Amino acid sequence: MPDVLFNFYSDTVTKPSAGMREAIARAEVGDDMSGEDPTVNRLEALMAKTLGKEAAVFACSGTQSNQMGVKTHCLPGDELLIEQSGHIACFEAGGPAVLSGVTCRTIPGRLGMLDIADLEGKVRADNQHLCVTRLLCLENTTNVGGGRAWPLDQLARVCRWAHDNGLKTHLDGARLFNACIAKGCSAAEIGQHFDTISICFSKGLGCPMGSVLVGSSDDIRKARRIRKLFGGAMRQAGIVAAAAVFAMENNVERLAIDHDNAKLLAREIAKIDGLSIQLDDVETNLVFFEVDPKLGNAAQFSSALLERGVKIGASGAQRLRACTHLDVSRDDVSRAAEILRQTVQAGFHQYKGSATGPYSRA
Ligand SMILES: *Cc1c(COP(=O)(O)O)cnc(C)c1O
C-alpha cells in the first residue's frame, strides 16, 4: 500500500502544528482534578465566555462530553429526542443506554436537522406506562446530515419549542465553529438556545485531543462529578488544554479556508462522470458524494483511491465523505481531484469493498 498523500478521511487526522506543539511544551500545569491546572482553568473560562455561559468542564473527547451532557440532564428510564442520523444515537457505542439508562427516540429529519413539525407529538404524556421525555439533542454542524449549519431562526424555534415543552436542550457542537463561520455568527448566538453545549478540539481545530462541555454553573458542577465517574477527570491536563487555547486563538477564523476548499473539491467532483454531488449541499468542510452503482460501490472506490494515495472513506453503500481540514491545502485538493478523475476512468469494480457500506452488515 503506498503512502497516503492526501488524507480527506476525517478532520480528526490533523497533527499538531509547530506552533501548537510549542504552546504544549510551554504549558503551565497543575493537578486539574483539584482545580489547580492554570491552563485548563484558562481554557474553561475562555470557553464559558465564548459560549455566553457560566461554566465549562474540559473532557477527553466529544463522545465523553456529549455523554456527560446526557447524564447531566437525564435519569435512568428517561428518553432523549434526536434526529435519526445524530452522533449521540448512532456513533457513541450505545452510550446513552449504557452510561445513563436513557433511550434515544430517533426522528427522521432533513440534512440531520429537525423542525417543530417533526417534533410535535413526540413528548410523551405523564403516564405510568411511558418513559419520561427529558432532553432534545441537536447537532451543529450536522455530520452524517451533510456538514450543514442550522439556520439560526430554525435553531431558535426548535429550542424554544423544547423548553416550552419542559425539555432540556443539548447541542452536539463537535463542529460548532464550522457552523459559526458558515453562518457568520458568534458561538454565543448559537449557544444561547441550549442548556449544555459540547465542543470538540480534535476536529477542524487541529488539536490532538480534548473537548469541553459548557453550561450553567449547576449543570457543570454535576457534569464534573459525571466526568470523574466516566474516568475522564485528568491530572496535568494543561498539556492538552494548551493546544485548545492555541486553537481558539489561531485556528477558528481559518476554518473559512476549509470551507472554500470543500467547495472547490465539490466542484471538481461534479465534473467527473460517474460521481454525483449536490453542490448546494456543501456548506462547510464535509463533502458527501455518490458513485454510480454501474461502476461499483463506495467501498471499492475508497480502496482504489487509497492505492493511489487518496484517503476518502465510504459512508454508505454508494456514498463517500471527504473532509477538508488544516492539513490539506488548496493545491492538495486540486491534485487529489485529478486522482479521483483518473481512478473513475481506470475503473474500480475489481477492488474489495463491502456493498452495504461501513455501517450495515452484508
Ligand atoms: C466527531 C464527533 C463527535 C465526537 O467524537 P469523538 O471521536 O469522541 O471526538 C461528536 N459528534 C459529532 C457530530 C462528531 O462528528
Side-chain angles (χ1 to χ4, degrees), residues 313-354:
S315 73
Q318 300 303 131
R319 197 178 187 218
L320 293 98
R321 186 190 76 167
C323 303
T324 56
H325 51 74
L326 82 185
D327 288 353
V328 289
S329 67
R330 197 163 180 84
D331 190 48
D332 290 340
V333 169
S334 301
R335 292 166 64 193
E338 178 54 24
I339 296 175
L340 262 68
R341 199 184 58 75
Q342 290 167 1
T343 307
V344 170
Q345 250 171 18
F348 50 85
H349 64 264
Q350 68 275 25
Y351 286 83
K352 275 208 188 72
S354 158

Side-chain angles (χ1 to χ4, degrees), residues 12 61-64 66 87-88 92 139 141-143 172 174-175 200 202-203 321:
T12 57
S61 69
T63 297
Q64 187 172 66
N66 273 334
H87 198 277
I88 290 172
E92 299 190 4
E139 198 170 293
T141 62
T142 64
N143 178 348
D172 177 350
R175 296 187 180 84
C200 238
S202 59
K203 297 272 165 80
R321 186 190 76 167

Side-chain angles (χ1 to χ4, degrees), residues 79 81 105 119-125 133 161 165 167:
E79 171 186 66
L81 305 180
R105 188 171 190 183
L119 288 160
E120 261 168 349
K122 300 294 195 301
V123 179
R124 294 184 198 273
T133 312
W161 174 90
N165 283 278
L167 305 184

Side-chain angles (χ1 to χ4, degrees), residues 158-207:
V158 167
C159 289
R160 195 175 325 111
W161 174 90
H163 289 136
D164 287 349
N165 283 278
L167 305 184
K168 297 287 185 180
T169 54
H170 171 77
L171 178 66
D172 177 350
R175 296 187 180 84
L176 179 68
F177 292 102
N178 294 91
C180 295
I181 295 294
K183 291 299 179 205
C185 70
S186 71
E189 276 173 86
I190 294 175
Q192 63 178 327
H193 303 296
F194 294 91
D195 294 296
T196 51
I197 303 116
S198 68
I199 291 165
C200 238
F201 297 112
S202 59
K203 297 272 165 80
L205 296 178
C207 295

Side-chain angles (χ1 to χ4, degrees), residues 280-296:
D280 291 346
D281 283 350
V282 179
E283 194 180 359
T284 60
N285 69 323
L286 307 183
V287 180
F288 286 88
F289 61 98
E290 308 213 326
V291 299
D292 186 336
K294 284 192 221 96
L295 300 177

Side-chain angles (χ1 to χ4, degrees), residues 1-31:
M1 202 53 79
D3 289 345
V4 176
L5 305 174
F6 306 110
N7 196 342
F8 296 91
Y9 184 76
S10 173
D11 41 9
T12 57
V13 302
T14 57
K15 305 213 173 125
S17 64
M20 183 176 282
R21 284 172 187 270
E22 219 174 281
I24 291 169
R26 276 200 318 266
E28 270 185 76
V29 296
D31 190 340

Side-chain angles (χ1 to χ4, degrees), residues 43-107:
L43 175 67
E44 289 176 346
L46 170 67
M47 297 317 293
K49 182 159 173 274
T50 303
L51 272 296
K53 299 288 180 201
E54 290 171 349
V57 56
F58 190 50
C60 299
S61 69
T63 297
Q64 187 172 66
S65 57
N66 273 334
Q67 295 300 327
M68 283 158 56
V70 169
K71 200 171 179 72
T72 295
H73 299 301
C74 299
L75 292 169
D78 288 352
E79 171 186 66
L80 64 80
L81 305 180
I82 188 166
E83 204 278 337
Q84 65 180 3
S85 66
H87 198 277
I88 290 172
C90 301
F91 300 106
E92 299 190 4
V98 176
L99 301 170
S100 302
V102 167
T103 47
C104 295
R105 188 171 190 183
T106 56
I107 302 166

